[in-house]
Amino acid sequence: MKSNYMTRLERWARWMLPRQEAEDVLADYRDIVADPELARDLGKPRTVIRALADRKSYYTWLAAFAVMALCILIPGVSPLPGGPYPVWFSMFSSSIPGLHFCRLFLIAGTAMALVWFRPGREEARTPLPRAILLWLAVLLAVMGVMWWISWQLILFPEGVLADPAWYPPADFVWPAAGGYEGGHLLALLLEWGAVPLVILGITALVKARTRDRRWRAVYVLSLSAMMLAFCVLATFSSMDPTLTLASLFFPLPYSVEITLIGLAGTGVALC
């Protein structure tokens, strides 16, 4: 019973209170819970912590969390049925729509994560959790796959380019997407594949608040991988029948910029 109460109390304390204040409160309540007479008068963990929390500070945190979550949620759900991606498509005259927003969401989310979860003066340096390293490795692999698909999309089938000998054959994506079924499945993969990245990014935000601030690195890289996937989807879903090689290279500067910002932000987030 004591262990269960302290577990729930710890969750609410770390979510509603600043880090150092939460540690101080938990230290006090461990002594209180250990005393049977004092423990009888304790209220529900959420009620106890809510009474101690400063409303302004807590609501500021909720606002910051909402903004960071929306930075990855909005692009992540926009290509799904009923999402705003078709609206983005009509807002730009270029053949590759929506890419202008990728940089804005990425910069805003990364900047807020780095500022909000900055290290405190009293924070002790602890070993980096293995779970963070594992998820970062997974996300780097996802970004590598996105780059590979992007490069495959740039490589038109032989005979379309003026001199296809300059480019190796696109040996996977074009044959896979040559028919309706293959292209439809690839589009669905790009659309729905962003959902796990959104879930992982928002989960990392929660863990950065309640566990270790360096989970912000997983959020930043999830956000970067999500935006990179959006660039690939924008290229693949373009309906312009007059696409040229130059048009296909159009997303590359965005992809390079997103990748560099993501890697740099992740490095800073791990410090």
Side-chain angles (χ1 to χ4, degrees):
M1 181 65 180
K2 294 178 181 179
S3 176
N4 184 49
Y5 185 89
M6 281 304 303
T7 299
R8 290 182 290 136
L9 187 74
E10 180 179 352
R11 290 173 182 171
W12 283 111
R14 295 185 185 279
W15 177 255
M16 300 184 73
L17 302 176
R19 184 175 300 274
Q20 188 56 44
E21 185 178 343
E23 295 296 336
D24 295 339
V25 168
L26 291 173
D28 293 338
Y29 269 84
R30 287 189 183 97
D31 296 334
I32 296 174
V33 172
D35 189 326
E37 293 186 5
L38 295 176
R40 287 183 304 178
D41 298 328
L42 291 176
K44 294 181 179 180
R46 181 180 179 181
T47 304
V48 170
I49 299 302
R50 185 167 54 186
L52 298 174
D54 177 71
R55 285 192 174 185
K56 182 178 180 181
S57 176
Y58 179 54
Y59 289 152
T60 300
W61 153 242
L62 289 181
F65 175 79
V67 171
M68 289 184 285
L70 288 174
C71 282
I72 192 171
L73 180 63
I74 292 176
V77 302
S78 66
L80 301 181
Y85 183 75
V87 177
W88 291 13
F89 193 99
S90 62
M91 288 177 62
F92 299 98
S93 58
S94 67
S95 59
I96 311 295
L99 297 183
H100 308 273
F101 284 105
C102 291
R103 178 171 48 198
L104 298 179
F105 282 118
L106 177 60
I107 292 176
T110 300
M112 285 202 66
L114 295 179
V115 171
W116 187 269
F117 298 113
R118 61 186 180 276
R121 296 179 181 179
E122 69 287 342
E123 184 176 340
R125 187 68 174 180
T126 57
L128 189 67
R130 291 184 179 180
I132 294 180
L133 292 175
L134 175 62
W135 283 116
L136 290 180
V138 171
L139 290 169
L140 287 174
V142 170
M143 293 180 72
V145 171
M146 289 300 103
W147 266 106
W148 179 73
I149 295 178
S150 181
W151 182 242
Q152 290 277 312
L153 290 174
I154 291 173
L155 304 180
F156 263 71
E158 291 184 5
V160 176
L161 294 179
D163 187 3
W166 283 92
Y167 302 92
D171 54 3
F172 176 78
V173 171
W174 281 110
Y180 172 79
E181 292 295 333
H184 183 63
L185 289 176
L186 182 57
L188 286 177
L189 177 63
L190 291 171
E191 291 172 2
W192 289 94
V195 175
L197 295 175
V198 172
I199 296 174
L200 177 59
I202 295 178
T203 301
L205 284 178
V206 175
K207 287 184 175 292
R209 172 73 173 188
T210 60
R211 295 297 177 186
D212 190 312
R213 63 173 178 79
R214 288 170 293 182
W215 274 96
R216 62 183 181 167
V218 177
Y219 166 76
V220 171
L221 204 59
S222 297
L223 182 58
S224 304
M226 228 292 309
M227 297 305 176
L228 195 57
F230 190 91
C231 286
V232 177
L233 177 62
T235 306
F236 184 74
S237 60
S238 176
M239 301 298 291
D240 188 351
T242 63
L243 276 178
T244 63
L245 181 61
S247 300
L248 287 172
F249 272 103
F250 175 76
L252 281 185
Y254 290 94
S255 298
V256 171
E257 186 175 357
I258 286 169
T259 302
L260 292 178
I261 293 175
L263 294 177
T266 301
V268 174
L270 289 173
C271 297

